Amino acid sequence: MGDFFERIVDVEVTGEEAGSLAKQMVDWMVSEGLIMREMSREGMYSLTVDDGYKPGPNWERAVADSSDSSWIPGPVAVIVGRDYHVGGQGQSEADSATCPRCDTRTVIIDYPVELEADQEAWQPFSDGIAAWKETGEGSVLCPACGASVPVTEWRFGDGFALGALAFDFWGWPPLGNGFRAVFSEHLGHRTEEQSGKF
């Protein structure tokens, strides 16, 4: 069956600001009773974080439907650091990338014809992401218009996002639209959402 998560990725916060913003968000969620300060690793499988915050007494306020009284959500992982985030199990490449300058879409995985990434098409993005993870800056030349575009400005296909701060809600019922909006408002940045399973 597997364990499911919903993820909210802040796609605008810098690597330098991510740690302090993560602390602010944890403080806010604790004050709202959504999570507790107590940590657990049970039912949590985030790749770079071992422990997450246990759900608080008011966790139901974050979800769309809490009518199933047997549903006990798992921990919330807070992931700090520049990285790429994927929703699919075993996924490590984006299926496409669209240039924000000329709006040309580069196909990386040609579904349904191909299930694997075209490594020649993906390599410039992979290199740009690696540079961004290490230094905070990385660019990719658009094959259509020739512009050198920061890798963080490219629009990647569904299920792939770059960000220095992410929150994994393990085993929670689907998050409510109102909560998502308030969460993004507290972050103060544009976010992307993913879901997946381990």
Side-chain angles (χ1 to χ4, degrees):
M1 179 175 154
D3 291 272
F4 292 84
F5 67 86
E6 280 190 77
R7 176 180 295 136
I8 299 174
V9 182
D10 185 322
V11 297
E12 293 181 335
V13 69
T14 66
E16 294 70 28
E17 299 167 332
S20 61
L21 183 55
K23 182 183 179 311
Q24 290 172 30
M25 292 300 289
V26 167
D27 289 345
W28 168 68
M29 287 191 283
V30 168
S31 73
E32 294 290 318
L34 303 173
I35 60 172
M36 299 186 291
R37 295 223 180 258
E38 186 179 351
M39 308 282 280
S40 172
R41 64 182 57 192
E42 187 175 337
M44 196 192 88
Y45 305 97
S46 297
L47 294 178
T48 58
V49 177
D50 291 330
D51 298 298
Y53 295 92
K54 285 187 168 184
N58 299 328
W59 66 265
E60 297 99 334
R61 291 174 26 195
V63 303
D65 181 4
S66 61
S67 61
D68 183 351
S69 60
S70 67
W71 197 321
I72 307 296
V76 176
V78 180
I79 304 164
V80 177
R82 289 184 292 266
D83 212 340
Y84 68 89
H85 301 276
V86 294
Q89 189 173 13
Q91 181 182 351
S92 60
E93 300 99 353
D95 61 3
S96 65
T98 301
C99 175
R101 306 291 189 266
C102 69
D103 214 33
T104 298
R105 182 173 175 263
T106 299
V107 174
I108 298 164
I109 305 175
D110 188 13
Y111 295 122
V113 178
E114 297 290 336
L115 300 178
E116 301 291 328
D118 177 338
Q119 290 305 316
E120 186 176 336
W122 177 243
Q123 194 61 54
F125 297 97
S126 179
D127 293 343
I129 291 167
W132 167 75
K133 284 174 65 172
E134 187 173 332
T135 68
E137 295 182 8
S139 297
V140 178
L141 282 175
C142 175
C145 70
S148 178
V149 180
V151 71
T152 53
E153 293 181 19
W154 284 81
R155 297 189 306 271
F156 293 100
D158 290 341
F160 190 96
L162 300 178
L165 179 58
F167 301 83
D168 288 355
F169 293 79
W170 282 97
W172 288 51
L175 300 174
N177 291 334
F179 171 73
R180 291 180 183 139
V182 170
F183 197 91
S184 294
E185 187 178 308
H186 276 273
L187 284 169
H189 298 128
R190 188 170 56 85
T191 61
E192 289 195 22
E193 297 170 19
Q194 298 173 340
S195 61
K197 103 181 242 269
F198 180 82

